[in-house]
Amino acid sequence: REFYSNLWETVLRGDTWSGTIVNRRKDGSEYHEEQTIAPVVDEAGEVTHFIAIKQDVTGQHVVHEALAHAHDALAAQVKEIELLNQKLSEQAIRDPLTALHNRRYLDETIARDMARVGRAGLPLTVAALDIDHFKMINDTHGHASGDKVLQRMADVLRENVRASDLVCRSGGEEFVVVMPGATVDAALERAEGWRVTFASTPVPVRDGVAVSCTVSIGVALHHSRRETFGACLDRADTALYAAKRAGRNRLANAEKA
């Protein structure tokens, strides 16, 4: 009603109206009709007639609708491809079991993190973690149970780090946490929290069976400008294995070695 009200209001005041309407043929079928309606006025300026020029544009409408649908379908496909590419890119830098970042991501991004803390004059501390007696867990309870233990370790780390920290599963039962801006004392305090939390919660591995697991951790401060990240990680690993030799389920500080 609003459409036709506007049409009549336009022509009755003496103006020309142009637009497209859906009309109906004598056989009842609908078609799209492009119209231009011009009023005819007498000498007194009164509207006496209307002249309408009409054109069947159903074919054009069908083409335009088809193009619109094709455009929408193409846009949906492009979006799907973008999401797939994003998913593939994410999978390339994520460990599929724990959803933590992997060693590849660590290698690709660590230079950026080191540069950032270097410019700000802040420390950067690295923690290397290894689940104790992990092979025994796999051998005794099966690899599916071992996977649950790895996922539990990942959850402990994910839930107890800052947004700025980088947590990755570097391989097997080994994990690395990079803590930009953290002093050694702060890193050791956090690592102790991970150790206690992990050891205090048995991991359900199968029906009625839960295993208590522990983790050994080595912590090293990156010696900026004098040391590569790889060298710093090696020192954290050395401290980790010192913790293993000392009885496992403990921390070792590479700075006191």
Side-chain angles (χ1 to χ4, degrees), residues 152-229:
R152 174 58 184 155
M153 183 76 257
D155 289 341
V156 169
L157 294 175
R158 188 165 27 237
E159 294 165 6
N160 295 279
V161 296
R162 305 166 304 168
S164 58
D165 295 337
L166 171 59
V167 184
C168 79
R169 180 185 174 199
S170 55
E173 68 273 28
E174 299 175 352
F175 298 80
V176 173
V177 182
V178 180
M179 293 168 276
T183 63
V184 171
D185 288 341
L188 288 168
E189 184 177 346
R190 286 182 209 160
E192 177 65 8
W194 307 333
R195 185 193 68 78
V196 171
T197 301
F198 187 60
S200 63
T201 310
V203 181
V205 292
R206 47 195 171 89
D207 293 342
V209 177
V211 296
S212 295
C213 307
T214 61
V215 62
S216 298
I217 307 173
V219 174
L221 174 69
H222 176 248
H223 298 155
S224 57
R225 299 182 183 179
R226 296 190 290 112
E227 182 179 49
T228 64
F229 177 77

Side-chain angles (χ1 to χ4, degrees), residues 78-146:
V78 169
K79 182 66 174 178
E80 185 178 351
I81 291 170
E82 288 175 348
L83 291 174
L84 180 59
N85 284 334
Q86 183 179 352
K87 183 178 180 181
L88 291 173
S89 297
E90 189 68 13
Q91 287 177 345
I93 60 173
R94 291 279 181 184
D95 169 48
L97 177 65
T98 63
L100 295 177
H101 284 111
N102 56 24
R103 182 59 185 265
R104 173 182 174 180
Y105 182 80
L106 174 64
D107 292 340
E108 289 177 352
T109 60
I110 191 60
R112 180 189 62 201
D113 289 339
M114 291 169 60
R116 185 185 304 121
V117 297
R119 288 192 300 269
L122 298 173
L124 182 142
T125 308
V126 180
L129 303 87
D130 187 277
I131 298 173
D132 298 326
H133 301 298
F134 185 73
K135 184 177 184 302
M136 186 184 300
I137 296 171
N138 276 337
D139 291 345
T140 304
H141 302 285
H143 288 279
S145 297

Side-chain angles (χ1 to χ4, degrees), residues 240-257:
L240 162 64
Y241 288 105
K244 294 273 191 185
R245 289 192 300 273
R248 296 182 170 83
N249 189 26
R250 64 192 63 213
L251 311 181
N253 181 358
E255 306 313 306
K256 292 187 176 181

Side-chain angles (χ1 to χ4, degrees), residues 64-74:
H64 288 158
E65 269 201 336
L67 285 173
H69 287 315
H71 180 272
D72 291 344
L74 179 59

